Amino acid sequence: MPIKINKPTVTKKTGSKGFYARDFLNIRTKATWDSPVAFKVPIYYYAQILWDTKNGDWVQIEFQGKKGWYKTSFKKYWYEKDP
């Protein structure tokens, strides 16, 4: 009888959620590192993470009516609560 291995459950994030930037963050025009910077989110400013709009590991960010792309560890670069 084959051995069953329990895989960890991964919760997919959906919808949008607001976060606060831990540093000045470069938001790209496209979901690639070599695309130009569309805008920057200043430190401690609030932006929406649009979890439903993804491209690979990149997710779309909305800040003051502008949209762009960001890829990195969220806990390292974003606060979940107002600092």
Side-chain angles (χ1 to χ4, degrees):
M1 177 173 251
I3 298 174
K4 277 190 164 181
I5 298 174
N6 292 332
K7 293 182 182 179
T9 304
V10 177
T11 304
K12 243 185 173 177
K13 295 179 181 172
T14 59
S16 65
K17 182 171 180 179
F19 288 86
Y20 297 85
R22 288 183 182 258
D23 202 347
F24 290 92
L25 303 178
N26 293 327
I27 308 303
R28 304 287 173 170
T29 57
K30 296 180 182 174
T32 64
W33 286 117
D34 59 350
S35 69
V37 173
F39 56 90
K40 294 179 185 239
V41 176
I43 190 169
Y44 303 134
Y45 274 67
Y46 179 87
Q48 287 284 320
I49 311 302
L50 308 176
W51 296 111
D52 294 329
T53 310
K54 293 183 180 180
N55 187 340
D57 292 336
W58 293 77
V59 68
Q60 197 167 54
I61 304 290
E62 185 172 2
F63 174 69
Q64 297 182 341
K66 300 174 278 192
K67 290 184 180 177
W69 295 91
Y70 192 74
K71 176 186 177 183
T72 195
S73 167
F74 276 90
K75 291 191 185 249
K76 186 174 179 182
Y77 292 98
W78 298 93
Y79 292 111
E80 289 192 49
K81 295 182 180 176
D82 189 350

